[in-house]
Amino acid sequence: MQILPGTITGRPVRVGSVGLGRLGVLHAENIAMRIPGAILSALCDLDRTRLEHTAAALGAERTFTDFAEMAAWDGIDAVCIVSPSALHTKHIRIAMEHGKHVFCEKPLGVTLEQCKDAEQVVGAHPELIFMLGFMRRYDPSYIYAKQKLDAGEIGRVVLLRSYSQDPDHQIKGALAFAPHSGGQFLDMAVHDIDLARWFIGREPEKVWAIGGCYAHPEFAQHGDGDNVSCLMKFEDDAMCFLLAGRTSPHGYNVETEIMGTKGTLRIASVPQKNLVEILDEHGVRKECSQTFHERFGEAFLGEMREFISCIRQGRRPEVSVSDGTRVLEIATQCKASFETGELVCCK
Amino acid sequence: MQILPGTITGRPVRVGSVGLGRLGVLHAENIAMRIPGAILSALCDLDRTRLEHTAAALGAERTFTDFAEMAAWDGIDAVCIVSPSALHTKHIRIAMEHGKHVFCEKPLGVTLEQCKDAEQVVGAHPELIFMLGFMRRYDPSYIYAKQKLDAGEIGRVVLLRSYSQDPDHQIKGALAFAPHSGGQFLDMAVHDIDLARWFIGREPEKVWAIGGCYAHPEFAQHGDGDNVSCLMKFEDDAMCFLLAGRTSPHGYNVETEIMGTKGTLRIASVPQKNLVEILDEHGVRKECSQTFHERFGEAFLGEMREFISCIRQGRRPEVSVSDGTRVLEIATQCKASFETGELVCCK
Amino acid sequence: MQILPGTITGRPVRVGSVGLGRLGVLHAENIAMRIPGAILSALCDLDRTRLEHTAAALGAERTFTDFAEMAAWDGIDAVCIVSPSALHTKHIRIAMEHGKHVFCEKPLGVTLEQCKDAEQVVGAHPELIFMLGFMRRYDPSYIYAKQKLDAGEIGRVVLLRSYSQDPDHQIKGALAFAPHSGGQFLDMAVHDIDLARWFIGREPEKVWAIGGCYAHPEFAQHGDGDNVSCLMKFEDDAMCFLLAGRTSPHGYNVETEIMGTKGTLRIASVPQKNLVEILDEHGVRKECSQTFHERFGEAFLGEMREFISCIRQGRRPEVSVSDGTRVLEIATQCKASFETGELVCCK
Amino acid sequence: MQILPGTITGRPVRVGSVGLGRLGVLHAENIAMRIPGAILSALCDLDRTRLEHTAAALGAERTFTDFAEMAAWDGIDAVCIVSPSALHTKHIRIAMEHGKHVFCEKPLGVTLEQCKDAEQVVGAHPELIFMLGFMRRYDPSYIYAKQKLDAGEIGRVVLLRSYSQDPDHQIKGALAFAPHSGGQFLDMAVHDIDLARWFIGREPEKVWAIGGCYAHPEFAQHGDGDNVSCLMKFEDDAMCFLLAGRTSPHGYNVETEIMGTKGTLRIASVPQKNLVEILDEHGVRKECSQTFHERFGEAFLGEMREFISCIRQGRRPEVSVSDGTRVLEIATQCKASFETGELVCCK
């Protein structure tokens, strides 16, 4: 990790956050209440009622309905971007041109052009911290698995398998969002693609993607399925199988298996809600996490803590802007394979 | 293990079995169909219909309604006693005095006098094999645990904890049997007492037993509870906690934990029916065994195979007649503690 | 299931078995000792020492070094074929032309021509039972999962994922066998292909296969990998991901996941040796099965019991000869995809 | 829960904390960094170096080596007492007489007289919040179990079983602390006694305690064992089996089972470190938590958050001072039974 010169400071980092959807509120709460050394100074959203209400509850000093105005305010050092995906790169450029550090939710952008634009502006501002929200890398279990892999405990990676499944009881929201989501590969599988590159440490070469509408034909209208999967061949032969689905009956299921020549690691193959085991007429069972914040609450906190810490210590976070570009490229190739039914090259 | 001289033989062992309750039929089936070297030659029961039907189905050559007649028949080499508990020792004596090897279901007897009588007759016939049906010792998982313990892998035994729980859906049968069962300690906990002595390798010194009628007040009429437990102090300080219950909602639950100074072994802490895991609206779950034959089918087969093998090879089985006596004594002391509320000495 | 007329009989089925490798001995033992109604009457193998030794131990009446002679002997009703794969169909033809029922180990044959030949001879002998050894269908856990699927409990199949992994400690044998095995798809994945067709109830349309030599470069000499996988698109969109590997560090790992729209079933995702859980310096753990007979002992017994039962009751077993042909076709298509790196049509 | 009048305030609660052992530092960090609405204003310890170092790191305004001086300072609203157990009640009295809210680590005191004194001073200051550190009640898994119990989902409590086991690798610290710890029942089992009263909702009537020195004879010098257990009979017949041990090979093991007539709940029967499952030469395993802060980090944070929240909202916490007295009484009775070998009445 490269250390930036001269930027360690004892002053709290003042953050302005844009976007107050479910995830935006979670980020705002974390900044306001759970990260020593961070202050939630400003909030920005188009919905004035929600904006004022949230700002009051979290003690934000200023509110904005225009992102550029917030970015221009000298009362903040950094911005947290949780706006609609299509606006991410625009907001990144505005913020950085106003000298603000940037945390941006995934995806980096919705087109390759947007990603390239973000790379350009981030590259032009080496004095500023940029971090992309691949929060799984900050989950304690994923961190633990990565350490074991890096320590050579499982040998060479043979296969990475990763599932991202939303619970079926959230299907209404998923259907409503479907026209704008970019599809399961761009909306969901990007996290798994990031994990695959992180764990395998190489790039995919070829992909074949399939899937269908097994329970919800509505997705077909958007050229999508309710469950999709792909098989990828990575450089040096590592295999990768990813699945993204919207119909999980048991809950929010994000699981990853890393099979190596000396051992296999499975992360969350039982997506247990907590440490309670129940023995009753249904057998011996564990109830499951139902939402992303239930499963990844600690990871969302961890990534924001890392962002603030990077700013204060002048360190670069592990995820670079080009990781964001690369993941979008690969997800787009998956989508192309799904749509054409053909093998697609990832290079 | 002591080898008896000169008794290895290639001739199949011909067995007569008495008692055609659920467990009696299971033993008869095993002898008739699943043990090479054994033949089910005779059956004995008071219920003529069941007797003839079973004999026909299993190919038994002769049927008897009088045990002494079967024991006297020279068409059998051995008897399998699955008659009512109060008759066990009487049948043991008759069989041995007719020169037959004896397999007897637990308990050995229902009084100490009976047990002493059995010891006498077994002792008087060193040329005959006697085996008591503590089948758990022949369950692959219990065998595996015992081997690890004996190999020193878990160090010195600190605690043995064992539960015997019948499913609540069998409560009608349990209530009907309650007047004659001898109570939970004599009827159920004897298996756990046998396990405790087997694993710990020493004798209990003191016991305190408690319990109650938590769901089924009917047991109180027999001075019993629907769930009872006891804590025992063994020689050399090993601790032992046993529970016997009739109200298990999830199934037939027999689990044992052996905590040692270097490791802990748990046998069947999840009483899973098979290797299927289900993920659905109830969470991630395993369905459970519902009956003793579902859980211990292989153990019942294993003990009978051992009985036949001991006869053919002239070996003595591991369980001795005095084990049967000792277990009854201890169960009786547990019961006395339960009834008086006081500590009871086990010596 | 179709009932054949007039063939129910009380006479035991006399079987002659060919091939005394590890699996051949297991089948012979099951026939000789564990299946009421079956008699092991004859054995055939080229290794005279092993042949005589095994026949004596299992009580087989006759031995043969020539399969045709055994097939011609009127002392048997049925043959069990565990000869080298390349000889299977030849042995099937000889046996059936001598009027013998046939149980044949997988694979049916090693070329499509062989399979077609077998189909022809089986079709020409409707009076004889033919059964192929896809033993997993007779494993209690797979049977249980199939019943749940058929009862609609997991809804429509979205994904079937199945792994067949041999332990790395058996790599020497695998390498020695590699020149003749046909490769991982034909040798190992055929079981998973059979399961996929059985559970999904439809045919694959397209496949893409990848893999590599992650630990054992020797497999490359045979155009194979030590771990390979494939993604298949089935009719009606069901997805199927299979993996076959030779480097499992924890043991013999055969696991299957069937993800449905209403529930997911996982069979043996922890390939536990038994019900013992160990708590020690390595954490909380279960030791694993190490060999196919440890994991599938009951399934091998179950399939042979079904074969005998079909003969005695005049029933046809569930697996047909054309299943064998179809599975070989698909495995061959997987192999072709692996070798060319291209998508392959399965029709 | 009773609401105190007029004490809700927007002003942060300023806390002074005494005692900077491992747990004292954890509490101080939580107050300083992880609880919105709380400020760590002062620290008190006899070790000046540690005191100044910690105060600087956590931004505490003042430091004290005399508790009474800190309690008298009007820069704090509340104290957090993590001093040696024998000083707890003295510190409680001093703090309350200076008008400070009090959070006190367990145990309340080391003698009944001390506890009575604490009850007196707490009773004399109804305007102040008093909370005792039974942190397990604030662990998410225990909270979840309690909600299920209270909702009637497991019926009537039959048995509560609870283990508190420290890892053997911490035995040096445990031995050093042994002369002053009060023994396993007072030092460790108090948490389990609190859980038992909380879950069962009644009082114990009788107890029998046993145990021994299985690996570390040094404990015998203090009239203690390295592993001890007790069986308790509660009012209305609920059974309770507790174990406290110092020799756990696999890690920090705190597990609780609540067996009811309609279901059983197990909390942390596998004390897993995280959601990673490892498949390697040791089998399929989960690594375990090794320390109390690894297992209960969230619970320690939760209880302090509740303490601060009670002060700000004028609510009384669930745990009362008399709970502390009652738990000490019961632990003392367990100890008496262990020492005498006799049954002891708990009333």
Side-chain angles (χ1 to χ4, degrees):
Chain A
M1 235 173 286
Q2 186 192 346
I3 303 294
L4 301 187
T7 53
I8 296 178
T9 167
R11 192 169 56 73
V13 175
R14 301 160 305 170
V15 185
S17 192
V18 59
L20 289 175
R22 225 168 22 153
L23 187 50
V25 170
L26 179 63
H27 281 308
E29 284 178 357
N30 280 340
I31 297 165
M33 304 200 304
R34 296 185 195 107
I35 299 175
I39 294 175
L40 182 73
S41 298
L43 284 176
C44 177
D45 197 89
L46 292 178
D47 180 331
R48 277 181 186 281
T49 311
R50 187 187 301 169
L51 181 63
E52 297 307 329
H53 176 81
T54 313
L58 298 178
E61 185 182 342
R62 294 272 305 266
T63 59
F64 298 87
T65 52
D66 182 89
F67 179 75
E69 284 181 31
M70 182 170 82
W73 183 40
D74 64 3
I76 58 172
D77 306 303
V79 298
C80 170
I81 299 176
V82 207
S83 50
S85 300
L87 299 179
H88 284 182
T89 55
K90 183 180 157 197
H91 286 168
I92 291 169
R93 173 165 291 279
I94 292 171
M96 288 204 143
E97 291 181 345
H98 282 96
K100 303 301 192 280
H101 303 290
V102 172
F103 173 91
C104 180
E105 251 309 313
K106 69 92 201 168
L108 177 59
V110 295
T111 65
L112 259 181
E113 293 67 37
Q114 286 191 337
C115 293
K116 292 295 177 188
D117 184 61
E119 288 202 22
Q120 191 278 325
V121 70
V122 170
H125 292 278
E127 79 285 6
L128 297 175
I129 298 299
F130 174 83
M131 182 168 169
L132 196 61
F134 284 134
M135 83 292 181
R136 291 187 195 172
R137 296 200 194 190
Y138 298 91
D139 172 68
S141 297
Y142 278 106
I143 292 170
Y144 196 76
K146 185 61 158 62
Q147 288 168 344
K148 288 202 171 281
L149 176 77
D150 289 348
E153 293 184 28
I154 65 163
R156 178 177 166 191
V157 176
V158 171
L159 169 77
L160 183 138
R161 171 177 66 88
S162 198
Y163 293 178
S164 288
Q165 295 173 272
D166 266 5
D168 197 64
H169 58 68
Q170 290 179 4
I171 195 68
K172 272 193 186 170
L175 284 169
F177 184 51
H180 316 291
S181 76
Q184 316 306 358
F185 287 109
L186 272 79
D187 186 43
M188 302 187 82
V190 284
H191 284 295
D192 303 285
I193 294 169
D194 177 58
L195 287 181
R197 292 177 69 247
W198 190 48
F199 279 113
I200 298 176
R202 296 180 177 266
E203 296 292 331
E205 293 181 336
K206 263 189 175 177
V207 64
W208 186 47
I210 58 177
C213 292
Y214 305 87
H216 303 288
E218 298 91 328
F219 286 102
Q221 303 166 13
H222 313 288
D224 206 3
D226 54 28
N227 283 270
V228 301
S229 76
C230 67
L231 179 64
M232 290 188 195
K233 180 184 176 58
F234 271 63
E235 297 162 351
D236 210 20
D237 288 341
M239 302 181 274
C240 175
F241 176 66
L242 308 181
L243 176 135
R246 298 285 187 187
T247 61
S248 168
H250 58 290
Y252 177 73
N253 189 88
V254 169
E255 63 175 288
T256 302
E257 177 180 53
I258 310 157
M259 184 184 292
T261 49
K262 294 186 189 159
T264 289
L265 302 173
R266 290 178 184 159
I267 300 110
S269 62
V270 173
Q272 59 187 50
K273 191 187 264 302
N274 50 40
L275 296 175
V276 178
E277 192 175 52
I278 305 168
L279 294 78
D280 63 10
E281 73 271 24
H282 304 298
V284 176
R285 62 193 178 98
K286 291 196 172 166
E287 295 182 341
C288 299
S289 293
Q290 295 301 319
T291 61
F292 65 82
H293 34 284
E294 187 176 4
R295 168 65 182 90
F296 284 115
E298 211 170 333
F300 283 113
L301 182 57
E303 67 174 2
M304 196 55 73
R305 192 181 287 129
E306 173 69 0
F307 175 58
I308 298 300
S309 173
C310 281
I311 294 173
R312 299 189 72 180
Q313 300 173 11
R315 281 191 297 111
R316 294 226 179 277
E318 196 185 43
V319 196
S320 71
V321 65
S322 61
D323 285 329
T325 306
R326 193 72 192 97
V327 166
L328 184 82
E329 270 180 333
I330 297 167
T332 306
Q333 289 150 352
C334 293
K335 191 179 175 180
S337 175
F338 177 77
E339 290 172 351
T340 62
E342 297 302 325
L343 272 180
V344 168
C345 265
C346 299
K347 294 285 175 130
Chain B
M1 235 173 289
Q2 188 193 341
I3 304 294
L4 301 187
T7 55
I8 296 180
T9 166
R11 191 167 57 74
V13 176
R14 301 160 306 170
V15 185
S17 193
V18 61
L20 289 175
R22 225 169 20 155
L23 187 51
V25 169
L26 179 63
H27 281 308
E29 284 178 356
N30 281 339
I31 296 163
M33 304 199 303
R34 297 184 193 106
I35 299 176
I39 295 175
L40 182 74
S41 298
L43 283 176
C44 177
D45 197 89
L46 293 177
D47 181 332
R48 277 181 187 279
T49 312
R50 188 187 301 169
L51 181 63
E52 298 307 329
H53 176 81
T54 312
L58 299 178
E61 184 182 343
R62 293 272 305 266
T63 58
F64 298 88
T65 54
D66 182 88
F67 179 76
E69 284 181 31
M70 181 170 81
W73 183 42
D74 63 2
I76 59 173
D77 308 301
V79 298
C80 170
I81 300 176
V82 207
S83 51
S85 301
L87 300 179
H88 285 182
T89 56
K90 184 180 156 197
H91 287 168
I92 292 168
R93 174 165 291 277
I94 294 171
M96 287 203 145
E97 291 181 346
H98 283 96
K100 304 300 192 281
H101 303 290
V102 172
F103 173 91
C104 180
E105 251 309 312
K106 67 92 199 168
L108 179 58
V110 296
T111 66
L112 259 182
E113 293 66 37
Q114 287 191 337
C115 292
K116 293 294 177 189
D117 183 61
E119 289 201 22
Q120 193 277 326
V121 70
V122 171
H125 292 279
E127 79 284 7
L128 297 175
I129 298 297
F130 175 82
M131 183 169 169
L132 196 61
F134 285 133
M135 85 291 184
R136 291 188 196 172
R137 297 199 194 190
Y138 299 91
D139 172 69
S141 297
Y142 278 105
I143 291 170
Y144 196 75
K146 185 62 159 60
Q147 288 168 343
K148 289 202 169 281
L149 177 77
D150 289 347
E153 293 185 27
I154 66 163
R156 179 177 165 191
V157 176
V158 171
L159 169 76
L160 183 138
R161 170 176 66 88
S162 198
Y163 294 177
S164 288
Q165 295 173 271
D166 266 5
D168 197 64
H169 58 67
Q170 291 180 2
I171 195 66
K172 274 194 185 169
L175 284 167
F177 184 50
H180 317 290
S181 77
Q184 317 305 358
F185 287 108
L186 271 80
D187 185 43
M188 301 185 83
V190 285
H191 284 295
D192 303 285
I193 294 169
D194 177 59
L195 287 181
R197 293 177 70 247
W198 190 48
F199 279 114
I200 298 176
R202 294 179 177 268
E203 295 293 331
E205 293 183 335
K206 266 188 173 179
V207 65
W208 186 46
I210 59 177
C213 292
Y214 304 88
H216 303 288
E218 297 91 327
F219 285 102
Q221 303 166 15
H222 313 289
D224 206 2
D226 54 27
N227 283 270
V228 302
S229 76
C230 67
L231 180 63
M232 290 189 194
K233 180 184 175 60
F234 271 63
E235 298 162 350
D236 210 20
D237 288 342
M239 303 181 274
C240 176
F241 176 65
L242 308 182
L243 177 133
R246 297 285 187 188
T247 61
S248 169
H250 58 290
Y252 177 73
N253 190 89
V254 168
E255 64 174 287
T256 301
E257 178 180 52
I258 309 156
M259 186 185 291
T261 51
K262 293 187 190 158
T264 289
L265 302 174
R266 291 178 183 157
I267 301 111
S269 63
V270 173
Q272 59 188 52
K273 190 185 265 302
N274 50 38
L275 295 175
V276 178
E277 191 175 53
I278 305 168
L279 294 79
D280 63 9
E281 71 272 23
H282 304 297
V284 176
R285 63 194 178 96
K286 291 195 174 166
E287 295 183 338
C288 299
S289 292
Q290 294 302 320
T291 61
F292 66 81
H293 34 281
E294 187 176 4
R295 167 65 182 91
F296 285 115
E298 212 170 334
F300 283 112
L301 182 57
E303 67 174 1
M304 195 55 72
R305 192 180 287 130
E306 172 69 1
F307 175 58
I308 298 301
S309 172
C310 282
I311 294 172
R312 302 189 71 178
Q313 300 174 8
R315 281 190 298 111
R316 294 225 178 276
E318 195 186 42
V319 196
S320 71
V321 67
S322 62
D323 286 329
T325 307
R326 192 73 193 96
V327 165
L328 184 83
E329 270 180 333
I330 297 167
T332 307
Q333 288 150 352
C334 293
K335 191 179 176 183
S337 175
F338 176 77
E339 289 172 352
T340 62
E342 296 302 325
L343 272 179
V344 168
C345 265
C346 298
K347 294 286 173 130
Chain C
M1 235 174 286
Q2 186 191 343
I3 303 293
L4 301 187
T7 54
I8 295 179
T9 166
R11 191 169 57 74
V13 176
R14 302 161 303 169
V15 184
S17 193
V18 59
L20 288 175
R22 229 169 16 156
L23 188 51
V25 170
L26 179 63
H27 281 309
E29 284 179 357
N30 281 340
I31 295 164
M33 304 200 302
R34 299 186 190 105
I35 299 175
I39 294 175
L40 182 73
S41 299
L43 283 175
C44 177
D45 196 89
L46 292 179
D47 180 332
R48 278 183 185 277
T49 312
R50 186 186 301 168
L51 181 63
E52 298 308 327
H53 176 82
T54 312
L58 299 177
E61 184 182 342
R62 293 270 306 264
T63 59
F64 298 87
T65 53
D66 182 89
F67 179 75
E69 284 181 30
M70 182 172 81
W73 183 40
D74 65 1
I76 59 173
D77 306 302
V79 296
C80 170
I81 299 176
V82 206
S83 50
S85 301
L87 300 179
H88 285 183
T89 54
K90 184 180 156 198
H91 287 169
I92 292 169
R93 174 165 291 277
I94 293 171
M96 288 203 143
E97 291 182 346
H98 283 96
K100 304 300 191 282
H101 303 289
V102 173
F103 172 90
C104 181
E105 251 308 310
K106 68 93 197 166
L108 178 58
V110 295
T111 64
L112 258 181
E113 292 66 37
Q114 286 192 338
C115 293
K116 292 294 176 188
D117 183 62
E119 289 201 20
Q120 193 277 325
V121 70
V122 171
H125 292 279
E127 79 285 7
L128 297 174
I129 298 298
F130 174 82
M131 181 167 170
L132 195 60
F134 285 134
M135 85 289 182
R136 293 188 194 171
R137 297 199 193 190
Y138 299 91
D139 171 69
S141 297
Y142 279 105
I143 291 170
Y144 196 75
K146 185 61 158 62
Q147 288 168 342
K148 289 203 169 280
L149 176 78
D150 288 348
E153 292 186 29
I154 66 163
R156 176 176 167 193
V157 176
V158 172
L159 169 76
L160 183 138
R161 171 176 65 89
S162 197
Y163 294 178
S164 288
Q165 296 172 271
D166 266 4
D168 197 64
H169 59 67
Q170 290 180 2
I171 196 68
K172 273 192 188 172
L175 283 169
F177 185 50
H180 316 290
S181 77
Q184 317 306 357
F185 287 108
L186 271 80
D187 186 42
M188 302 186 81
V190 284
H191 284 295
D192 303 284
I193 294 169
D194 177 58
L195 287 181
R197 293 177 69 247
W198 190 46
F199 279 114
I200 297 175
R202 295 179 176 266
E203 296 292 332
E205 293 182 334
K206 262 188 177 181
V207 64
W208 187 47
I210 58 177
C213 292
Y214 305 87
H216 303 288
E218 297 91 328
F219 286 102
Q221 303 166 14
H222 313 289
D224 204 2
D226 54 30
N227 283 270
V228 302
S229 77
C230 67
L231 179 63
M232 289 188 195
K233 181 184 176 61
F234 271 64
E235 296 162 352
D236 209 20
D237 288 342
M239 301 181 275
C240 175
F241 176 65
L242 308 182
L243 176 134
R246 297 284 186 187
T247 62
S248 169
H250 59 290
Y252 178 74
N253 190 90
V254 169
E255 63 173 289
T256 302
E257 178 180 54
I258 311 156
M259 185 185 290
T261 50
K262 292 186 189 161
T264 289
L265 302 174
R266 289 178 185 159
I267 300 110
S269 62
V270 173
Q272 59 188 51
K273 191 184 266 301
N274 50 39
L275 296 175
V276 178
E277 191 175 51
I278 305 168
L279 295 78
D280 63 9
E281 71 271 23
H282 304 298
V284 176
R285 61 195 179 96
K286 291 196 173 166
E287 295 183 338
C288 299
S289 293
Q290 294 303 318
T291 61
F292 66 81
H293 33 283
E294 188 176 3
R295 167 66 182 88
F296 284 114
E298 212 170 332
F300 284 111
L301 182 56
E303 67 175 0
M304 196 55 71
R305 193 181 287 130
E306 172 68 1
F307 174 59
I308 298 301
S309 173
C310 281
I311 294 172
R312 300 189 72 179
Q313 300 173 9
R315 282 191 295 112
R316 293 227 179 274
E318 195 186 43
V319 196
S320 71
V321 66
S322 62
D323 286 328
T325 305
R326 192 72 192 98
V327 165
L328 184 83
E329 269 180 334
I330 297 166
T332 306
Q333 288 150 351
C334 293
K335 191 178 175 181
S337 175
F338 177 77
E339 290 171 351
T340 62
E342 297 302 323
L343 272 179
V344 169
C345 265
C346 299
K347 295 283 175 134
Chain D
M1 235 175 289
Q2 186 193 344
I3 303 296
L4 302 186
T7 53
I8 295 179
T9 164
R11 191 168 58 73
V13 175
R14 300 160 307 170
V15 184
S17 193
V18 60
L20 289 176
R22 228 170 17 156
L23 188 49
V25 170
L26 179 62
H27 281 308
E29 284 178 357
N30 280 340
I31 297 164
M33 303 198 305
R34 296 185 193 106
I35 300 175
I39 295 175
L40 181 74
S41 298
L43 283 175
C44 177
D45 197 89
L46 292 178
D47 181 332
R48 276 182 187 279
T49 312
R50 188 187 300 169
L51 181 63
E52 297 308 328
H53 176 82
T54 314
L58 299 179
E61 184 182 344
R62 293 271 307 263
T63 59
F64 298 87
T65 54
D66 182 88
F67 179 75
E69 284 181 30
M70 183 172 80
W73 183 40
D74 64 2
I76 59 172
D77 307 303
V79 297
C80 170
I81 298 176
V82 205
S83 51
S85 300
L87 299 178
H88 285 182
T89 55
K90 185 179 155 197
H91 286 168
I92 292 169
R93 174 165 291 277
I94 293 172
M96 289 204 142
E97 291 182 346
H98 283 96
K100 304 299 193 282
H101 303 289
V102 172
F103 173 89
C104 180
E105 251 308 312
K106 68 94 198 164
L108 178 58
V110 295
T111 66
L112 259 182
E113 293 67 37
Q114 286 191 339
C115 293
K116 293 295 177 188
D117 183 61
E119 289 202 18
Q120 192 278 326
V121 69
V122 170
H125 291 280
E127 78 285 6
L128 296 174
I129 298 299
F130 174 82
M131 181 168 172
L132 196 61
F134 284 134
M135 85 289 182
R136 290 187 196 171
R137 297 200 194 189
Y138 299 92
D139 171 69
S141 296
Y142 278 105
I143 291 171
Y144 196 75
K146 185 63 158 61
Q147 288 168 345
K148 290 204 168 278
L149 176 76
D150 289 348
E153 293 184 28
I154 65 163
R156 178 176 166 191
V157 176
V158 172
L159 169 77
L160 182 138
R161 171 177 65 88
S162 198
Y163 293 177
S164 288
Q165 294 172 272
D166 266 6
D168 197 65
H169 59 66
Q170 291 179 3
I171 194 68
K172 273 193 186 170
L175 284 168
F177 185 50
H180 316 291
S181 77
Q184 317 306 358
F185 287 108
L186 272 81
D187 186 43
M188 301 186 82
V190 285
H191 284 295
D192 303 286
I193 295 169
D194 177 59
L195 287 181
R197 294 177 70 246
W198 190 46
F199 279 113
I200 297 175
R202 295 178 177 268
E203 296 292 331
E205 292 182 335
K206 263 188 175 179
V207 65
W208 187 48
I210 59 176
C213 292
Y214 305 86
H216 304 288
E218 299 91 326
F219 285 103
Q221 303 167 16
H222 313 289
D224 205 2
D226 55 28
N227 283 270
V228 302
S229 76
C230 67
L231 179 63
M232 291 188 193
K233 181 184 173 61
F234 271 63
E235 297 163 351
D236 209 20
D237 288 341
M239 302 181 274
C240 175
F241 176 66
L242 307 182
L243 176 135
R246 297 283 187 188
T247 61
S248 168
H250 59 290
Y252 177 74
N253 190 89
V254 169
E255 63 173 289
T256 301
E257 178 181 52
I258 310 156
M259 186 186 289
T261 50
K262 293 187 190 158
T264 289
L265 302 174
R266 290 177 184 159
I267 300 110
S269 63
V270 173
Q272 60 187 52
K273 190 186 265 301
N274 49 41
L275 296 175
V276 178
E277 191 174 52
I278 305 168
L279 294 79
D280 62 11
E281 71 272 23
H282 303 298
V284 176
R285 62 194 178 97
K286 290 195 174 170
E287 295 183 339
C288 299
S289 293
Q290 294 302 319
T291 61
F292 65 83
H293 35 281
E294 188 175 3
R295 168 65 182 89
F296 284 116
E298 212 171 332
F300 283 111
L301 182 57
E303 69 174 359
M304 196 55 71
R305 193 181 286 131
E306 172 69 0
F307 175 57
I308 298 300
S309 173
C310 282
I311 294 173
R312 300 189 72 177
Q313 299 175 11
R315 280 190 297 111
R316 293 227 180 275
E318 195 186 41
V319 196
S320 72
V321 66
S322 61
D323 285 329
T325 305
R326 193 74 191 96
V327 166
L328 183 83
E329 270 181 333
I330 297 166
T332 306
Q333 289 151 351
C334 292
K335 191 180 176 180
S337 175
F338 177 77
E339 289 171 353
T340 63
E342 297 302 325
L343 272 180
V344 169
C345 265
C346 298
K347 293 284 173 130

